[in-house]
Every structure is written in C-alpha cells, then in structure tokens.
Amino acid sequence: MKIGFVGLGNMGGPMAANLAAAGHAVVGFDPVATGPDGVDRAASAAEAAQGAEVVITMLPDGAILRRVAREVIPAMTAGAVLCDCSTVDVESARAVAAQAAHGGVAALDAPVSGGVAGAVAGTLTFMVGGDADAVAIVNPLLAVMGRNAVHCGGPGAGQAAKICNNMILGATMIVTCEAFALADRLGLDRAKMFDVVSTSSGYSWSMNAYCPAPGVGPKSPADNDYRPGFAADLMLKDLRLSQQAAAAVDADTPLGLAAMQLYERFVEQEDGRGRDFSAMLPRFERRGRG
Ligand code: NAD
C-alpha cells in the first residue's frame, strides 16, 4: 500500500520502519526526527499525504493532531483513511473524525499499548474507533505494526478504551507500590509477597508482569534502575486525559483523580520525571504517613 506517515519519533519511527520492511511504500514527515531506513522523506505533512491510501499520524497531543489534520485532510485522495495512533483527548479524536468526513476521507483513532519496545518489535495492541469499512482497509497495516487490534466502536472509542485502561494501570501500579512499602515495614519478604499476591486475588499486570520491586518477579524496569519502560511523565499525560474525559461526561473517578494528583507531584515536584512509572515504589519506601 501507499502510506503517508506523519510523526517519526520514538514510536512513529519504528512503526514506519516495520511498514517499509513489510514491503509498503512509506513516505514520512517529521519536522525534527530523522526518518528510519526504508522510509522516503517528504517536505511537509501534506506532501506525505498526497496519493496515499492510508495516512498514519503518531504525534504528541491533540492540539498538534488537529493542526496536522487541517493540513493533511485537504491533500488526501477521496476515500483514503487517516489513522491516528497518538494518544489524544477523546474530543480531538472526534473533531478530526468529523473534519475528515467533511473532507471526504475516513478517520480512525487507533492509540496503542506496548511502548517503544512494542513499536520496534511490531507487537503493539491497537484500540480502534471509527467506521468498520475504514478499519478493514487499515487492518493489514495494524497487523504489521502490532499483534492485536480491537475495534472498540465509533469515533473516539479507541481513545476512550486507552485512557480507561491506563487509569486502571496507574491506580494499580500505585497501590502495588504502596503495598510493597507497607510489607517492608511489616517485615514481610518482598519475594514472598510476590509469590502470594501474584497467585492470589491481589494480582494484576502491575504485579505479575511489571513488578515494581527490583529482583522480584519477571525482569522489569525496576531491575534497570527504573529507567523507562513507560515513563511516569507519559502516565501523567494519560491520567490527565482520563480526568479531562471524566469531567466532560460528569463521571465520578476518585481513584483516577488521586492517581493523577500523585503522578503530578511525583513528576513535577519530586524526582519522577524521566523515570519509569513503577519508580513509585522507592518513593513510598522513603516516606512515612505524614
Ligand atoms: P515523540 O515525541 O518521540 O514523537 C512525536 C513526534 O512528532 C516527534 O518526532 C515530533 O517532532 C513530531 N511532531 C511534532 N509536531 C509535528 C508536526 N506538526 N508534524 C509532524 N510531526 C510532528 O513521542 P512518542 O513517544 O513517539 O509518542 C507519540 C504518541 O504515542 C504520543 O501521543 C504518546 O502519548 C503515544 N504513546 C507513546 C508511548 C511510549 O512509550 N513512548 C506508548 C504509548 C503511546
């Protein structure tokens, strides 16, 4: 397929490289990042979109996505699909879908889970919102860049699934870390704690697959001095998006709010910036209740 790829950063670069390696003709644009091997460079986002059957975007936030969409949609061929894989607010995803419909092209929101390692390995999970016909066109590309793609519903449903998932992830990581810190003070060995919880009703992905205690459970960023992995800054971004969405629809999300406030403090006032989001454990370790 002919693909335009806009945003060749940490995630977009390897995703575009995998598409090119699978034999697709990929033309990329990024004002800063240098493109990966096999991806031709365009001078603008509009140029990357010209003649493409699918235009993929992988951008920092909703405001930038809206700007890029305004530039790209008029340059796209009628019937082509704009597939945004960034994590953005639900409102921006829906606004871009409406703008695309107006411009005679289809739009999907297809945020990902799996991080940079998943982007490089081609094992991402996509959560897709939008029209089924457009999903069918893009599915073979998602199968190159990832392992799973779930069609979640209409425009914005992919972003809704992503922020709900990450709200659960943020809150469970915090409570897993605070439980380890409590266990320390109760004199409970961390390995025993893992053996019990990972096979009991307190289990979760945070405990079983991404254990925040170094030397315990499977290898995780905790075993690499909490280098990300999934950075606390990105978790904060997603928790803010979930609170923005919750406020917009008047949903009561007290634990999601508390998780956002804690990551905000950790990233903006403490030493969390640039560290993995599981570095909440050493934070709790050092603190008392006061
Ligand atoms: P990044 O900052 O490495 O890449 C974003 C790229 O967009 C940059 O190279 C930047 O130059 C480019 N860009 C900015 N404005 C542009 C414009 N107007 N036109 C074209 N390109 C432009 O970020 P990333 O880590 O690749 O993340 C991209 C998205 O994926 C974000 O929405 C992020 O929340 C999401 N995400 C990231 C991860 C992760 O682990 N990094 C995991 C899941 C989802």
Side-chain angles (χ1 to χ4, degrees):
M1 277 174 119
K2 278 195 77 184
I3 300 161
F5 207 115
V6 183
L8 301 168
N10 292 324
M11 296 290 292
M15 290 164 72
N18 284 337
L19 289 171
H24 296 289
V26 187
V27 179
F29 172 71
D30 191 302
V32 179
T34 54
D37 287 350
V39 173
D40 291 332
R41 295 303 296 264
S44 67
E47 189 184 309
Q50 269 158 22
E53 298 159 82
V54 175
V55 176
I56 299 174
T57 47
M58 196 50 168
L59 299 163
D61 60 40
I64 294 175
L65 169 66
R66 287 180 193 233
R67 272 208 302 281
V68 167
R70 273 197 295 274
E71 189 188 335
V72 153
I73 290 169
M76 287 174 67
T77 312
V81 182
L82 174 61
C83 178
D84 176 49
C85 296
S86 332
T87 303
V88 304
D89 55 292
V90 175
E91 232 172 279
S92 291
R94 291 188 174 149
V96 167
Q99 200 187 332
H102 191 70
V105 302
L108 299 173
D109 50 295
V112 305
S113 173
V116 177
V120 172
T123 57
L124 296 168
T125 292
F126 290 89
M127 302 151 233
V128 190
D131 183 67
D133 293 341
V135 175
I137 294 171
V138 167
N139 258 337
L141 305 180
L142 303 187
V144 169
M145 297 183 287
R147 218 166 13 206
N148 296 307
V150 180
H151 186 195
C152 299
Q159 297 295 350
K162 166 88 187 175
I163 56 175
C164 287
N165 180 75
N166 280 20
M167 189 172 80
I168 296 170
L169 175 62
T172 41
M173 180 53 82
I174 289 170
V175 78
T176 302
C177 292
E178 62 187 41
F180 265 117
L182 169 62
D184 288 346
R185 290 188 188 215
L186 295 174
L188 174 61
D189 181 73
R190 286 182 170 185
K192 299 296 177 201
M193 160 100 164
F194 176 83
D195 289 347
V196 171
V197 175
S198 65
T199 55
S200 299
S201 46
Y203 84 90
S204 68
W205 186 86
S206 296
M207 176 61 86
N208 291 39
Y210 205 92
C211 183
V216 177
K219 277 263 172 296
S220 71
D223 300 303
N224 192 25
D225 204 21
Y226 295 101
R227 277 190 276 280
F230 184 43
D233 327 34
L234 284 176
M235 173 51 83
L236 175 58
K237 171 188 172 180
D238 293 355
L239 289 169
R240 281 178 168 150
L241 290 175
S242 67
Q243 285 309 298
Q244 188 182 334
V249 296
D250 192 29
D252 188 21
T253 53
L255 287 183
L257 174 62
M260 184 201 75
Q261 289 167 339
L262 204 49
Y263 274 105
E264 205 162 63
R265 227 161 87 189
F266 186 48
V267 169
E268 292 181 351
Q269 294 165 35
E270 300 169 354
D271 63 346
R273 192 177 296 281
R275 302 185 80 196
D276 190 73
F277 83 119
S278 63
M280 274 284 166
L281 174 52
R283 176 193 184 275
F284 282 118
E285 234 174 72
R286 292 192 298 266
R287 300 170 59 89
R289 288 180 78 78

